[in-house]
Amino acid sequence: MNESIEIIGTESLGVRGLSCFITTKNRKILIDPGVALGYIRHALLPHPIQVAAGERVRRRIIENLVEATDVVFSHFHGDHIPFKEANCYQLALQDLPENVQKLRCWSKSIDSPPGKIERRGQDLQFFFGKNFHVAESLTDGPLTFSQAVPHGVEKSKQGRVMMTRIDLGHSVFVHGSDIQLLDPDTIDCIIGWQADVILAAGPPLYLEKLSGELRQVAWRNALHLAKNSKMLILDHHLMRDQQGPQWLEALSAKTGKHIYCAADFMGKKPQLLEADRTQLYETFPVRPHWHEEYERGRAYTNSYLAENV
């Protein structure tokens, strides 16, 4: 099963995002080919070790796009898409391989209020041209897409996202980008899809504004998903601080089955580089003006143990 599913970049793998590459008998599908690093966290820019992780993820996304037949955009937030005008920590549209515009592109609808999110969707639509398809509620071969569901709670200011179901032949994979386990109807949709393997964004425990009531909702929904799937992988918002691994450990103990983060699933050691940013700066001091030099292409990550990322 693992051979069909590659999780490329998310918080337990050192970056922001939820990108993955799914292989079926006749299709190779890249979902959410974007990356971000959390531009400011703990009043600090990304540590060069995290920057190195971002470089690795960008390279892998590009490598997979060369092989892909389809690309999926769950929504247009900066850690899930390539940008027309990217900063040095993001993936730029102009850096994508030449074949990309020929891929089948499946996307959430561009229905955001006027502003930067809407413009990002329009940029993607223009870039892919006739191959750009609004995919909500559609089915194409092994691919099935949900209607737009809440980015967290219903009526969230963050808008809505599109989930993806992929029939792998021997099992069913579901990608639940940014759902945060906070909307019961979204959970019912995933269970109705009879998912074997679920990759979803867990609750943003690092946000103090997340109420105790919503934390309980996420917990109950996680238990419900775990009961109704063979494998549950929770990451993204959940792993932005050290509460995430503790929450997964407690969930595993409660369910009696291993609940994975993405790094666990991929057989790698979790690296919560954003959560550990302050500690990284203390352990590996960053010389003055490194980030300004990096933006100009005059500084590199190799001197900050990039080989260990």
Side-chain angles (χ1 to χ4, degrees):
M1 185 178 297
N2 289 24
E3 294 179 356
S4 302
I5 303 168
E6 177 189 353
I7 305 174
I8 306 169
T10 191
E11 273 72 351
S12 71
L13 296 170
V15 303
R16 287 192 176 193
L18 201 62
S19 58
C20 60
F21 189 58
I22 311 300
T23 302
T24 72
K25 182 178 180 180
N26 299 311
R27 308 279 277 268
K28 294 184 176 183
I29 306 136
L30 185 47
I31 305 177
D32 283 4
V35 59
L37 300 184
Y39 194 76
I40 296 291
R41 185 81 191 276
H42 309 303
L44 296 167
L45 287 164
H47 189 277
I49 289 178
Q50 190 186 16
V51 177
E55 293 173 343
R56 173 183 51 77
V57 170
R58 291 198 299 272
R59 286 193 300 269
R60 188 59 186 151
I61 287 173
I62 290 170
E63 290 168 356
N64 282 329
L65 282 171
V66 171
E67 300 181 20
T69 60
D70 301 78
V71 60
V72 178
F73 297 111
S74 66
H75 62 303
F76 308 121
H77 287 177
D79 46 351
H80 296 269
I81 63 169
F83 278 90
K84 181 179 179 181
E85 297 179 1
N87 67 40
C88 62
Y89 310 120
Q90 299 167 329
L91 181 61
L93 278 172
Q94 61 266 30
D95 291 337
L96 301 184
E98 292 182 3
N99 68 298
V100 166
Q101 290 171 296
K102 298 178 182 179
L103 303 182
R104 289 176 287 247
C105 175
W106 310 99
S107 176
K108 178 192 173 295
S109 60
I110 306 172
D111 59 359
S112 301
K116 65 180 182 179
I117 302 299
E118 181 185 47
R119 288 195 298 273
R120 291 171 183 171
Q122 291 170 343
D123 287 341
L124 290 172
Q125 185 177 37
F126 180 80
F127 182 82
F128 284 94
K130 65 180 181 180
N131 292 325
F132 182 95
H133 306 285
V134 173
E136 292 169 21
S137 301
L138 294 183
T139 294
D140 186 84
L143 291 157
T144 298
F145 303 100
S146 74
Q147 64 182 8
V149 301
H151 185 292
V153 296
E154 186 66 63
K155 297 183 180 179
S156 166
K157 293 180 180 179
Q158 298 296 321
R160 302 175 79 79
V161 303
M162 181 182 75
M163 299 189 296
T164 302
R165 178 190 190 271
I166 302 177
D167 186 345
L168 300 176
H170 48 77
S171 62
V172 171
F173 170 79
V174 169
H175 182 271
S177 183
D178 289 28
I179 60 171
Q180 301 179 14
L181 308 183
L182 298 178
D183 178 65
D185 289 341
T186 299
I187 303 304
D188 288 342
C189 174
I190 295 174
I191 293 172
W193 272 348
Q194 298 181 310
D196 296 295
V197 182
I198 302 167
L199 171 62
L205 303 178
Y206 74 107
L207 296 178
E208 294 183 2
K209 66 180 181 181
L210 186 71
S211 68
E213 180 181 356
L214 286 177
R215 290 167 191 259
Q216 287 301 310
V217 168
W219 179 259
R220 290 195 298 270
N221 284 334
L223 292 173
H224 197 27
L225 281 180
K227 180 181 178 181
N228 288 278
S229 62
K230 293 180 180 177
M231 183 177 291
L232 179 58
I233 311 162
L234 299 176
D235 213 296
H236 201 22
H237 309 93
L238 177 64
M239 305 298 277
R240 288 184 185 169
D241 74 5
Q242 293 297 341
Q243 294 179 78
Q246 297 171 16
W247 199 83
L248 287 183
E249 185 177 347
L251 188 62
S252 296
K254 181 68 175 180
T255 60
K257 61 194 298 186
H258 185 63
I259 310 301
Y260 294 79
C261 70
D264 290 337
F265 176 80
M266 292 299 296
K268 298 181 179 181
K269 180 181 177 181
Q271 297 195 59
L272 278 62
L273 299 180
E274 181 179 335
D276 294 339
R277 187 171 294 180
T278 300
Q279 181 180 344
L280 284 173
Y281 270 87
E282 292 172 354
T283 305
F284 305 99
V286 180
R287 71 172 185 270
H289 309 297
W290 184 90
H291 292 87
E292 294 92 329
E293 293 173 11
Y294 183 81
E295 290 178 12
R296 297 185 180 97
R298 298 174 181 172
Y300 306 94
T301 57
N302 56 345
S303 61
Y304 288 94
L305 305 181
E307 67 273 12
N308 294 326
V309 175

